[in-house]
Amino acid sequence: MEIQVKEILKIDTAQLWVNQGVLFFKFDYTNQFGKLDIGTVKKFETAVISLTQGVPMPFLIDTRNTRGSFTSRAAKLFAHSSYFKKVRICEAFVVNSINTELLINSYKRIYEPVTPFLIFDDIENAIDYCVEAKKRYDADN
């Protein structure tokens, strides 16, 4: 895959960038007792506004080797941000632990059951899903 990344934004222990019409979130959070808070999600929102420039795209959220969880306020903002709703076509989560997979399934069931999503253990499959979702979205709009 050819890399076409123009800008990588670093926020706390995460990196965000756009490649192939997909918004990538790469988390590198290893504190098992830590929680993603609302302040960090607000920073993510600002970064997403900058990176997407209003163009709808899939979100690929790479949580491999990430530990911890999120506050309910942070989860609600991530789920219900009017800006995220406007630009989020679908979500692909990449995991390598059952704990993270359970956390994501709970988040989606409780806070954000509307946006289509899949969970992958392979980043290439997640990228393929996102690229195809973007193609379908662009063809329909």
Side-chain angles (χ1 to χ4, degrees):
M1 164 180 48
E2 182 179 324
I3 301 296
Q4 304 166 354
V5 177
K6 293 180 184 171
E7 179 179 18
I8 296 176
L9 300 180
K10 295 181 180 181
I11 298 169
D12 298 335
T13 59
Q15 297 177 24
L16 294 86
W17 68 94
V18 171
N19 188 21
Q20 298 182 338
V22 176
L23 177 66
F24 287 77
F25 284 80
K26 170 68 175 126
F27 289 95
D28 187 23
Y29 195 74
T30 58
N31 179 357
Q32 69 180 353
F33 302 110
K35 290 187 184 266
L36 178 65
D37 62 24
I38 195 164
T40 303
V41 175
K42 286 180 180 180
K43 291 177 191 175
F44 290 159
E45 189 174 44
T46 300
V48 169
I49 289 168
S50 171
L51 290 169
T52 64
Q53 299 180 355
V55 176
M57 56 187 64
F59 286 19
L60 190 151
I61 304 166
D62 186 350
T63 64
R64 291 174 295 172
N65 302 319
T66 297
R67 301 176 79 176
S69 63
F70 44 77
T71 67
S72 64
R73 289 184 65 210
K76 286 176 187 173
L77 178 58
F78 199 85
H80 301 292
S81 160
S82 60
Y83 191 78
F84 287 171
K85 285 181 178 182
K86 189 166 51 169
V87 297
R88 182 175 50 210
I89 294 172
C90 66
E91 295 168 319
F93 295 90
V94 184
V95 303
N96 64 352
S97 82
I98 191 70
N99 290 344
T100 304
E101 187 172 347
L102 291 170
L103 182 68
I104 291 165
N105 277 314
S106 296
Y107 159 77
K108 292 300 291 182
R109 187 181 67 253
I110 296 167
Y111 297 105
E112 213 290 304
V114 176
T115 303
F117 79 101
L118 287 176
I119 297 174
F120 298 88
D121 60 7
D122 179 87
I123 188 114
E124 292 302 323
N125 290 337
I127 292 169
D128 290 346
Y129 168 74
C130 289
V131 169
E132 286 304 313
K134 177 69 171 156
K135 285 179 185 175
R136 283 190 310 276
Y137 178 86
D138 288 346
D140 291 343
N141 292 295

